[in-house]
Amino acid sequence: MKHERPDQLRSSREVHKSFARRTQPEAISGISKIGIREKVYESTKLAAVFDTLVHQDVSAEEILRGVTIRSEDVHSPKTRISLGQLMTAYQNAIRLSADRHLPYRVGTTIHVSTYGMYGYAILCCPDFRKAMDFATTYHALAAPLATIEFREEGERATWSIEPILHSVADRQLYRFIAELQIGIHISLMRDVMGPAFTPQEICLSYPQADDFGITEELVGCSVRFSQQANRVVFKSEWLDQTASLGNKTTYPTIIAICDDLLGDLNLRIGAAGEIRAILLRDIANPPTFDATAKLLDVNARSLRRQLRQQGISFRGLRDELRAQLALKYLRSTNLANEDIALALGFSDAANFRRAFHRWTNKSPSEVRGE
């Protein structure tokens, strides 16, 4: 067997560390500091799917199965839900409804008035380009099950939509979230720019399916499947119109209120959010629990108690972040399993594959093939 000299091992480790540093910054751009089990969001989107299914004569009990929320609390302004509860409701909807356009239809029931101060701020934006920027910057206030990005290039403007990584292993749920978010975007754009707003085209990253899906007749524009990303494309001339409801005086005041709401959201995620931020700095070489406590300037016993109150463990947080990053690497790069293992701090690809199967009940190759 050939053995590496100590200087060769040191060189190899430096190459590995350099690789991990290069790959991580781009990967963490879609990773949230808020876990899917933390109940910090208003029930707006849950209420939208609940109401749509109730109108289709689906029982409230079935809609909320596994969601652990009472039907009388769905519309309460005091109710706080997690992204995990919302995804469970969506999975129930897929199972219960025969509506072939359900996710898009649910999305179009969500209007700026649904979003409270976040929606009001969108209306108050003095011009439509500021409205696009605001919607992206403050998207965390809208119980986001997808990351969104807005881009304007010449005569085309594009919303890019990527469902959160927790949905990647469930392709039906991934499609449901993508099409619901497209419905929301079109609904909000019509609220802001007028009912005549129509996209130029819709691009979807997956093939056309038999169970449910967006159609050209439904959205009024071409729909292209198996594209590089999920996108809503429209003519940028829509952005040149006058924002009739915009107000330059009110807008800064509303922005300040939304900043306070983001601050409140960060307070509600508590210790778990602070730990996630630390772990994401270098997930390949994460600090120990005791080292993390020192970085946060808290007693280790106190930190453990805070996590226990949130129903979360330090190891669970680390594995959750690793799972999200792994899914993003598998979905959006051609990195080999060995490289992904390295970037996530595993000693080899075999250990990574075992951990990935434990997290998702799927192998990396199965996720790549979907």
Side-chain angles (χ1 to χ4, degrees):
M1 179 182 291
K2 182 179 179 180
H3 296 283
E4 291 182 296
R5 297 194 312 272
D7 59 330
Q8 290 176 316
L9 286 172
R10 283 194 296 271
S11 176
S12 176
R13 289 191 189 111
E14 287 305 313
V15 170
H16 288 178
K17 288 179 181 178
S18 175
F19 171 81
R21 285 194 295 268
R22 290 197 312 273
T23 55
Q24 195 165 315
E26 182 180 354
I28 65 174
S29 62
I31 307 299
S32 173
K33 289 192 293 183
I34 303 176
I36 63 169
R37 292 185 297 276
E38 278 139 302
K39 297 179 181 180
V40 296
Y41 297 107
E42 295 181 0
S43 56
T44 299
K45 290 181 178 177
L46 174 63
V49 73
F50 180 86
D51 290 343
T52 301
L53 290 177
V54 165
H55 290 152
Q56 295 180 2
D57 295 324
V58 180
S59 75
E61 181 182 2
E62 286 299 311
I63 300 169
L64 298 175
R65 184 176 296 278
V67 182
T68 65
I69 287 180
R70 301 180 303 173
S71 58
E72 56 265 36
D73 293 332
V74 168
H75 298 91
S76 170
K78 296 181 180 180
T79 298
R80 291 293 180 269
I81 66 168
S82 68
L83 297 182
Q85 289 173 298
L86 191 53
M87 288 194 291
T88 297
Y90 290 170
Q91 288 169 321
N92 290 343
I94 293 169
R95 174 174 53 85
L96 295 168
S97 178
D99 186 348
R100 291 182 54 80
H101 309 307
L102 179 67
Y104 179 82
R105 203 183 307 281
V106 172
T108 57
T109 68
I110 296 176
H111 297 278
V112 288
S113 59
T114 310
Y115 281 127
M117 198 57 65
Y118 174 72
Y120 182 52
I122 291 175
L123 286 179
C124 288
C125 289
D127 62 68
F128 292 142
R129 286 180 175 83
K130 274 193 173 60
M132 304 300 104
D133 181 59
F134 173 87
T136 303
T137 303
Y138 292 85
H139 187 53
L141 297 175
L145 278 173
T147 58
I148 61 173
E149 179 185 342
F150 178 75
R151 182 171 299 175
E152 184 180 0
E153 296 176 335
E155 297 180 353
R156 287 164 60 96
T158 303
W159 279 110
S160 297
I161 296 165
E162 181 59 24
I164 63 173
L165 300 173
H166 300 84
S167 69
V168 169
D170 183 336
R171 297 305 292 168
Q172 275 190 315
L173 178 61
Y174 179 93
R175 291 190 292 112
F176 190 100
I177 293 172
E179 294 179 19
L180 180 138
Q181 192 64 46
I182 287 170
I184 292 174
H185 268 69
I186 292 176
S187 177
L188 297 184
M189 298 282 274
R190 286 174 177 165
D191 287 345
V192 172
M193 297 181 182
F197 172 81
T198 303
Q200 197 170 18
E201 68 175 5
I202 303 292
C203 298
L204 299 168
S205 64
Y206 44 84
Q208 189 168 8
D210 296 328
D211 47 3
F212 61 83
I214 291 177
T215 63
E216 294 185 4
E217 294 75 21
L218 196 64
V219 295
C221 67
S222 63
V223 178
R224 301 171 62 196
F225 293 91
S226 300
Q227 302 300 299
Q228 288 187 333
N230 307 302
R231 296 191 178 103
V232 179
V233 183
F234 61 96
K235 294 180 179 179
S236 58
E237 63 188 38
W238 283 101
L239 301 171
D240 296 324
Q241 298 180 84
T242 302
S244 57
L245 297 178
N247 189 295
K248 293 182 179 179
T249 303
T250 305
Y251 180 66
T253 303
I254 301 303
I255 287 290
I257 293 174
C258 288
D259 285 336
D260 289 341
L261 290 174
L262 278 180
D264 180 59
L265 185 64
N266 287 328
L267 284 176
R268 276 186 267 140
I269 65 177
E274 294 180 294
I275 292 173
R276 284 192 187 90
I278 289 173
L279 293 176
L280 283 172
R281 294 175 192 169
D282 189 358
I283 196 68
N285 301 282
T288 63
F289 179 79
D290 288 341
T292 301
K294 286 183 180 180
L295 288 169
L296 294 174
D297 196 25
V298 297
N299 178 275
R301 183 177 297 178
S302 174
L303 183 59
R304 201 179 303 278
R305 184 174 62 253
Q306 291 177 51
L307 289 179
R308 190 162 52 244
Q309 289 171 346
Q310 291 185 259
I312 299 168
S313 70
F314 182 75
R315 179 178 177 180
L317 285 173
R318 186 189 61 193
D319 285 349
E320 180 184 299
L321 292 173
R322 280 176 160 177
Q324 291 184 65
L325 287 164
L327 286 166
K328 183 158 190 177
Y329 283 131
L330 291 168
R331 283 272 300 161
S332 60
T333 76
N334 293 320
L335 289 174
N337 287 347
E338 290 77 8
D339 292 331
I340 296 175
L342 175 66
L344 298 180
F346 288 94
S347 58
D348 54 50
N351 282 329
F352 163 62
R353 284 193 294 269
R354 282 193 290 271
F356 187 81
H357 190 273
R358 187 175 70 250
W359 299 330
T360 66
N361 287 323
K362 291 190 175 186
S363 68
S365 59
E366 286 178 302
V367 171
R368 283 193 195 274
E370 291 176 336

Short mmCIF file of all heavy atoms in Angstrom, two decimals, residues 304-334:
data_model
loop_
_atom_site.label_atom_id
_atom_site.label_comp_id
_atom_site.label_asym_id
_atom_site.label_seq_id
_atom_site.Cartn_x
_atom_site.Cartn_y
_atom_site.Cartn_z
N ARG A 304 -28.09 24.60 26.45
CA ARG A 304 -28.73 23.30 26.23
C ARG A 304 -30.20 23.35 26.66
O ARG A 304 -31.07 22.79 26.01
CB ARG A 304 -27.98 22.21 27.00
CG ARG A 304 -28.21 20.81 26.47
CD ARG A 304 -27.43 19.78 27.26
NE ARG A 304 -26.00 20.04 27.28
CZ ARG A 304 -25.18 19.69 26.29
NH1 ARG A 304 -25.67 19.08 25.22
NH2 ARG A 304 -23.89 19.94 26.38
N ARG A 305 -30.46 24.06 27.77
CA ARG A 305 -31.83 24.19 28.25
C ARG A 305 -32.68 24.98 27.26
O ARG A 305 -33.83 24.63 26.98
CB ARG A 305 -31.85 24.87 29.62
CG ARG A 305 -33.26 24.96 30.23
CD ARG A 305 -33.23 25.50 31.64
NE ARG A 305 -32.71 26.86 31.71
CZ ARG A 305 -31.50 27.18 32.20
NH1 ARG A 305 -30.71 26.22 32.68
NH2 ARG A 305 -31.09 28.43 32.22
N GLN A 306 -32.12 26.05 26.66
CA GLN A 306 -32.85 26.85 25.68
C GLN A 306 -33.22 26.01 24.45
O GLN A 306 -34.34 26.09 23.93
CB GLN A 306 -32.01 28.05 25.25
CG GLN A 306 -31.82 29.10 26.32
CD GLN A 306 -30.92 30.22 25.84
OE1 GLN A 306 -31.14 30.80 24.77
NE2 GLN A 306 -29.88 30.54 26.61
N LEU A 307 -32.28 25.20 23.99
CA LEU A 307 -32.55 24.34 22.84
C LEU A 307 -33.61 23.30 23.18
O LEU A 307 -34.49 23.00 22.35
CB LEU A 307 -31.26 23.64 22.38
CG LEU A 307 -30.22 24.53 21.69
CD1 LEU A 307 -29.00 23.70 21.33
CD2 LEU A 307 -30.79 25.19 20.46
N ARG A 308 -33.54 22.75 24.40
CA ARG A 308 -34.52 21.75 24.81
C ARG A 308 -35.92 22.36 24.84
O ARG A 308 -36.89 21.72 24.45
CB ARG A 308 -34.13 21.19 26.18
CG ARG A 308 -34.94 19.97 26.59
CD ARG A 308 -34.26 19.19 27.71
NE ARG A 308 -33.90 20.04 28.83
CZ ARG A 308 -32.66 20.28 29.23
NH1 ARG A 308 -31.64 19.73 28.57
NH2 ARG A 308 -32.42 21.05 30.28
N GLN A 309 -36.03 23.61 25.26
CA GLN A 309 -37.32 24.30 25.28
C GLN A 309 -37.86 24.51 23.87
O GLN A 309 -39.07 24.58 23.67
CB GLN A 309 -37.17 25.65 26.00
CG GLN A 309 -36.96 25.53 27.50
CD GLN A 309 -36.61 26.85 28.15
OE1 GLN A 309 -36.26 27.84 27.48
NE2 GLN A 309 -36.71 26.90 29.48
N GLN A 310 -36.95 24.63 22.90
CA GLN A 310 -37.37 24.77 21.50
C GLN A 310 -37.56 23.42 20.81
O GLN A 310 -37.91 23.37 19.63
CB GLN A 310 -36.34 25.60 20.72
CG GLN A 310 -36.28 27.06 21.11
CD GLN A 310 -35.32 27.85 20.23
OE1 GLN A 310 -34.20 28.15 20.62
NE2 GLN A 310 -35.77 28.19 19.03
N GLY A 311 -37.31 22.34 21.57
CA GLY A 311 -37.47 21.00 21.00
C GLY A 311 -36.42 20.65 19.97
O GLY A 311 -36.68 19.90 19.02
N ILE A 312 -35.20 21.19 20.16
CA ILE A 312 -34.13 21.03 19.18
C ILE A 312 -32.85 20.62 19.90
O ILE A 312 -32.63 21.00 21.04
CB ILE A 312 -33.89 22.36 18.42
CG1 ILE A 312 -35.15 22.77 17.66
CG2 ILE A 312 -32.74 22.24 17.43
CD1 ILE A 312 -35.09 24.19 17.14
N SER A 313 -32.02 19.84 19.22
CA SER A 313 -30.71 19.49 19.77
C SER A 313 -29.62 20.10 18.90
O SER A 313 -29.84 20.42 17.73
CB SER A 313 -30.54 17.97 19.82
OG SER A 313 -30.41 17.44 18.51
N PHE A 314 -28.43 20.25 19.48
CA PHE A 314 -27.29 20.79 18.74
C PHE A 314 -26.96 19.89 17.55
O PHE A 314 -26.77 20.37 16.43
CB PHE A 314 -26.09 20.91 19.67
CG PHE A 314 -24.88 21.50 19.02
CD1 PHE A 314 -24.79 22.86 18.76
CD2 PHE A 314 -23.79 20.68 18.67
CE1 PHE A 314 -23.66 23.40 18.16
CE2 PHE A 314 -22.66 21.23 18.07
CZ PHE A 314 -22.60 22.59 17.82
N ARG A 315 -26.93 18.58 17.78
CA ARG A 315 -26.65 17.65 16.69
C ARG A 315 -27.73 17.73 15.62
O ARG A 315 -27.45 17.67 14.42
CB ARG A 315 -26.54 16.23 17.22
CG ARG A 315 -26.27 15.20 16.13
CD ARG A 315 -26.12 13.80 16.69
NE ARG A 315 -25.93 12.83 15.63
CZ ARG A 315 -25.77 11.53 15.81
NH1 ARG A 315 -25.75 11.04 17.04
NH2 ARG A 315 -25.60 10.72 14.78
N GLY A 316 -28.99 17.86 16.08
CA GLY A 316 -30.09 17.97 15.11
C GLY A 316 -29.95 19.19 14.22
O GLY A 316 -30.21 19.13 13.02
N LEU A 317 -29.53 20.32 14.81
CA LEU A 317 -29.32 21.53 14.02
C LEU A 317 -28.22 21.33 12.99
O LEU A 317 -28.36 21.70 11.82
CB LEU A 317 -28.94 22.69 14.95
CG LEU A 317 -30.05 23.31 15.79
CD1 LEU A 317 -29.46 24.33 16.77
CD2 LEU A 317 -31.09 23.96 14.92
N ARG A 318 -27.13 20.73 13.43
CA ARG A 318 -26.00 20.50 12.52
C ARG A 318 -26.41 19.57 11.37
O ARG A 318 -26.12 19.84 10.20
CB ARG A 318 -24.83 19.90 13.29
CG ARG A 318 -23.56 19.75 12.46
CD ARG A 318 -22.52 18.97 13.23
NE ARG A 318 -23.01 17.62 13.55
CZ ARG A 318 -22.43 16.81 14.42
NH1 ARG A 318 -21.36 17.22 15.10
NH2 ARG A 318 -22.91 15.60 14.65
N ASP A 319 -27.13 18.48 11.70
CA ASP A 319 -27.54 17.54 10.66
C ASP A 319 -28.55 18.18 9.71
O ASP A 319 -28.54 17.90 8.50
CB ASP A 319 -28.13 16.28 11.29
CG ASP A 319 -27.07 15.37 11.88
OD1 ASP A 319 -25.88 15.61 11.62
OD2 ASP A 319 -27.43 14.42 12.60
N GLU A 320 -29.44 19.02 10.25
CA GLU A 320 -30.42 19.69 9.40
C GLU A 320 -29.74 20.58 8.37
O GLU A 320 -30.10 20.59 7.19
CB GLU A 320 -31.36 20.53 10.28
CG GLU A 320 -32.43 21.29 9.51
CD GLU A 320 -33.25 22.17 10.43
OE1 GLU A 320 -33.90 21.62 11.33
OE2 GLU A 320 -33.23 23.40 10.25
N LEU A 321 -28.73 21.34 8.82
CA LEU A 321 -28.00 22.21 7.89
C LEU A 321 -27.21 21.40 6.88
O LEU A 321 -27.16 21.74 5.69
CB LEU A 321 -27.07 23.13 8.68
CG LEU A 321 -27.76 24.18 9.55
CD1 LEU A 321 -26.74 24.92 10.39
CD2 LEU A 321 -28.56 25.15 8.69
N ARG A 322 -26.57 20.32 7.34
CA ARG A 322 -25.84 19.46 6.41
C ARG A 322 -26.77 18.87 5.36
O ARG A 322 -26.42 18.78 4.17
CB ARG A 322 -25.15 18.34 7.18
CG ARG A 322 -23.84 18.75 7.85
CD ARG A 322 -23.29 17.60 8.66
NE ARG A 322 -21.87 17.75 8.94
CZ ARG A 322 -21.16 16.91 9.68
NH1 ARG A 322 -21.76 15.86 10.23
NH2 ARG A 322 -19.88 17.11 9.89
N ALA A 323 -27.97 18.45 5.79
CA ALA A 323 -28.93 17.87 4.84
C ALA A 323 -29.35 18.90 3.80
O ALA A 323 -29.42 18.61 2.60
CB ALA A 323 -30.15 17.35 5.60
N GLN A 324 -29.61 20.13 4.24
CA GLN A 324 -30.01 21.18 3.30
C GLN A 324 -28.89 21.47 2.30
O GLN A 324 -29.15 21.61 1.09
CB GLN A 324 -30.36 22.46 4.07
CG GLN A 324 -31.62 22.38 4.89
CD GLN A 324 -31.93 23.72 5.52
OE1 GLN A 324 -32.21 24.71 4.84
NE2 GLN A 324 -31.87 23.77 6.83
N LEU A 325 -27.67 21.58 2.80
CA LEU A 325 -26.54 21.85 1.91
C LEU A 325 -26.31 20.70 0.94
O LEU A 325 -26.04 20.91 -0.25
CB LEU A 325 -25.28 22.12 2.73
CG LEU A 325 -25.23 23.47 3.45
CD1 LEU A 325 -24.16 23.46 4.53
CD2 LEU A 325 -24.97 24.59 2.45
N ALA A 326 -26.43 19.47 1.44
CA ALA A 326 -26.25 18.30 0.58
C ALA A 326 -27.26 18.31 -0.55
O ALA A 326 -26.92 18.06 -1.72
CB ALA A 326 -26.37 17.02 1.40
N LEU A 327 -28.51 18.59 -0.21
CA LEU A 327 -29.55 18.62 -1.23
C LEU A 327 -29.28 19.71 -2.26
O LEU A 327 -29.50 19.52 -3.46
CB LEU A 327 -30.91 18.84 -0.57
CG LEU A 327 -31.50 17.64 0.16
CD1 LEU A 327 -32.65 18.05 1.06
CD2 LEU A 327 -31.97 16.57 -0.84
N LYS A 328 -28.79 20.85 -1.79
CA LYS A 328 -28.50 21.92 -2.74
C LYS A 328 -27.35 21.54 -3.66
O LYS A 328 -27.40 21.78 -4.88
CB LYS A 328 -28.17 23.22 -2.00
CG LYS A 328 -27.94 24.39 -2.95
CD LYS A 328 -28.14 25.73 -2.29
CE LYS A 328 -28.13 26.83 -3.34
NZ LYS A 328 -28.39 28.16 -2.77
N TYR A 329 -26.28 20.95 -3.11
CA TYR A 329 -25.17 20.51 -3.95
C TYR A 329 -25.64 19.49 -4.98
O TYR A 329 -25.27 19.54 -6.16
CB TYR A 329 -24.08 19.89 -3.08
CG TYR A 329 -23.22 20.87 -2.33
CD1 TYR A 329 -22.99 20.71 -0.96
CD2 TYR A 329 -22.62 21.95 -2.97
CE1 TYR A 329 -22.19 21.60 -0.26
CE2 TYR A 329 -21.83 22.84 -2.27
CZ TYR A 329 -21.62 22.67 -0.92
OH TYR A 329 -20.83 23.55 -0.24
N LEU A 330 -26.46 18.53 -4.54
CA LEU A 330 -26.93 17.47 -5.44
C LEU A 330 -27.84 18.01 -6.53
O LEU A 330 -27.84 17.54 -7.66
CB LEU A 330 -27.65 16.38 -4.65
CG LEU A 330 -26.76 15.53 -3.72
CD1 LEU A 330 -27.62 14.70 -2.78
CD2 LEU A 330 -25.85 14.62 -4.55
N ARG A 331 -28.64 19.02 -6.16
CA ARG A 331 -29.61 19.57 -7.11
C ARG A 331 -29.00 20.55 -8.10
O ARG A 331 -29.43 20.62 -9.24
CB ARG A 331 -30.72 20.27 -6.33
CG ARG A 331 -31.74 19.36 -5.69
CD ARG A 331 -32.87 19.03 -6.64
NE ARG A 331 -33.57 20.24 -7.04
CZ ARG A 331 -34.35 20.32 -8.11
NH1 ARG A 331 -34.53 19.28 -8.87
NH2 ARG A 331 -34.97 21.43 -8.42
N SER A 332 -28.01 21.33 -7.64
CA SER A 332 -27.57 22.47 -8.45
C SER A 332 -26.13 22.41 -8.91
O SER A 332 -25.64 23.36 -9.53
CB SER A 332 -27.81 23.77 -7.68
OG SER A 332 -27.10 23.77 -6.46
N THR A 333 -25.41 21.33 -8.59
CA THR A 333 -24.02 21.22 -9.03
C THR A 333 -23.75 19.82 -9.58
O THR A 333 -24.57 18.92 -9.44
CB THR A 333 -23.02 21.48 -7.88
OG1 THR A 333 -22.97 20.32 -7.03
CG2 THR A 333 -23.42 22.68 -7.05
N ASN A 334 -22.59 19.68 -10.18
CA ASN A 334 -22.14 18.37 -10.66
C ASN A 334 -21.04 17.80 -9.76
O ASN A 334 -20.29 16.91 -10.18
CB ASN A 334 -21.62 18.50 -12.10
CG ASN A 334 -22.71 18.84 -13.08
OD1 ASN A 334 -23.82 18.32 -12.98
ND2 ASN A 334 -22.42 19.74 -14.01
#
